[in-house]
Amino acid sequence: MMKPVQKSAMAIVCTALICGGAGVCVPFASVIAQTITPVQEMSFGKFALKNNSSAHMLRVARTGGVTADSAYIVMDTPVPAEYTLAGFTPSTPLTVSIPDSTLTAAGTGDHFDLRDFTPTPGLTTDGAGGATLRFGASLYTSGSGTNYIDGAFSGDIDITVDY
Amino acid sequence: MLKLHTKALAVIATAGLFCAASGAANAQTTVQGNVNLTVNNAINITETTPMQFGTFLVVKDIASTEVATLTLSDTGTATPTTTGTPAIFTDISAVAPAARSQGIFGITGAAPTTVINVATSNLADLTCALCTGSDTITLFSVTPATATVTTDGTGAATINVGAVLKTKTGGNQYKDGLYAGTYDLTVNY
């Protein structure tokens, strides 16, 4: 009589585990939301551009190194992005993907292309489920032949972490 | 009883492993980040000192083709020459003092330690707005026509500009007055 009761109890526990938040196999009370928090947003600094006769590249590496075509005159040094990841499964490899994007200035048709993101390779969470994500990217002018207006350009990027 | 309990725990553990494997295949988190930059192509340039030749006796050759030339160096030194009388530029600053200087332009806020291209163009002859029946003085050239300057560590630089004037031939003789002309100075990276 005692035996079936115990089996039933085990089934309830298992259901709770399967459905417990984001597919992570922990009790409900222990589920922690994953967070990706910016420590430093990516910036390509301030520069002058001699011309836009072709797609000129300005690259900031994940480690902070800057490579620029001769058309760029860098005035404020670009910086790579850095984000803090928390609440992920401990000691787990992460895959980061960031689609291409564009940077625009309000009220103008000018834009820069942003691509070739380079997230930290082999990124793995630590024992507490945290990690530091850094990445660089390449900025390209449109190559339209018309130089850019002075001012601020900005754009959004979607940072997706799979685990 | 003890044996049965152990077996049940084993079942739970198996289910737990299954859950973890299932979550690893699908879980993802996305956040939106921002990227920015500032374009600063403009170069601030100001004429800090207008070009001034000073006061001269200027005579043109109204009957022939002699031409007088007045050269102002980019350091502010005026040198008159002539191909022959009566055409002449004669410096009378001693009796009619007037400032003399090359044109001086100041660049600020540009990229530090950077080469900047300089070009002059659109030379407009010197005219006397208040003179009646006079002629213009030819603004023959401006120096440099093209050049480069390098900004200092603060993004500043100075450009000195000289010019060459020539008298015209024929027509009316020059009248007393202030003669002024213009030229364009263009800078870019």
Side-chain angles (χ1 to χ4, degrees), chain A residues 2-3 6-7 10 13-14 17-18 22-25 34-36 41-50 73-75 83 88 103 112 114 117 139 147-163, chain B residues 1 4-5 7-44 109-117 155 188-189:
Chain A
M2 187 70 173
K3 183 176 176 182
Q6 287 181 326
K7 282 182 73 175
M10 289 305 102
V13 171
C14 188
L17 286 169
I18 292 171
V24 180
C25 204
Q34 292 79 41
T35 60
I36 304 173
E41 300 273 26
M42 176 178 285
S43 173
F44 283 86
K46 182 169 71 174
F47 56 78
L49 191 65
K50 292 180 180 178
I73 299 171
V74 177
M75 303 169 78
Y83 289 77
F88 288 81
L103 276 63
F112 289 86
L114 188 60
F117 293 93
L139 180 81
N147 209 338
Y148 292 82
I149 62 165
D150 281 7
F153 288 70
S154 65
D156 294 325
I157 53 174
D158 291 329
I159 306 162
T160 298
V161 178
D162 288 278
Y163 57 96
Chain B
M1 185 62 185
L4 174 63
H5 185 69
K7 193 174 179 180
L9 285 175
V11 171
I12 294 171
T14 300
L17 287 172
F18 174 77
C19 291
S22 177
N26 299 307
Q28 82 175 193
T29 300
T30 299
V31 68
Q32 194 170 70
N34 181 264
V35 181
N36 65 78
L37 62 84
T38 300
V39 175
N40 188 26
N41 288 334
I43 299 173
N44 298 320
T113 321
T114 299
V115 174
I116 291 178
N117 302 305
N188 58 50
Y189 290 111

Side-chain angles (χ1 to χ4, degrees), chain B:
Chain B
M1 185 62 185
L2 180 61
K3 185 177 178 181
L4 174 63
H5 185 69
T6 302
K7 193 174 179 180
L9 285 175
V11 171
I12 294 171
T14 300
L17 287 172
F18 174 77
C19 291
S22 177
N26 299 307
Q28 82 175 193
T29 300
T30 299
V31 68
Q32 194 170 70
N34 181 264
V35 181
N36 65 78
L37 62 84
T38 300
V39 175
N40 188 26
N41 288 334
I43 299 173
N44 298 320
I45 183 165
T46 304
E47 183 186 46
T48 56
T49 303
M51 184 187 298
Q52 298 181 82
F53 282 83
T55 304
F56 284 81
L57 166 66
V58 186
V59 178
K60 68 190 295 190
D61 182 2
I62 59 174
S64 184
T65 59
E66 304 298 345
V67 175
T69 300
L70 178 60
T71 300
L72 182 68
S73 72
D74 62 7
T75 58
T77 300
T79 305
T81 59
T82 183
T83 60
T85 56
I88 192 169
F89 275 104
T90 300
D91 187 359
I92 56 171
S93 297
V95 296
R100 175 178 297 148
S101 176
Q102 74 276 28
I104 303 175
F105 295 82
I107 291 174
T108 57
T113 321
T114 299
V115 174
I116 291 178
N117 302 305
V118 180
T120 53
S121 61
N122 294 331
L123 282 55
D125 289 347
L126 283 63
T127 60
C128 178
L130 300 179
C131 301
T132 302
S134 186
D135 201 351
T136 60
I137 300 173
T138 302
L139 179 55
F140 181 74
S141 63
V142 174
T143 54
T146 61
T148 59
V149 294
T150 301
T151 57
D152 62 17
T154 68
T158 299
I159 302 169
N160 294 291
V161 182
V164 175
L165 305 181
K166 288 183 180 293
T167 58
K168 291 186 177 297
T169 57
N172 296 327
Q173 190 55 265
Y174 292 116
K175 302 295 191 331
D176 286 0
L178 175 66
Y179 289 72
T182 60
Y183 61 96
D184 292 341
L185 187 142
T186 304
V187 293
N188 58 50
Y189 290 111

Side-chain angles (χ1 to χ4, degrees), chain A residues 84-143:
Chain A
T84 296
L85 279 56
F88 288 81
T89 306
S91 305
T92 300
L94 305 176
T95 301
V96 178
S97 59
I98 308 170
D100 296 349
S101 185
T102 58
L103 276 63
T104 58
T108 76
D110 291 341
H111 75 277
F112 289 86
D113 292 319
L114 188 60
R115 55 180 186 263
D116 303 333
F117 293 93
T118 56
T120 309
L123 187 63
T124 302
T125 55
D126 58 22
T132 298
L133 167 65
R134 297 184 181 89
F135 58 86
S138 295
L139 180 81
Y140 289 87
T141 65
S142 65

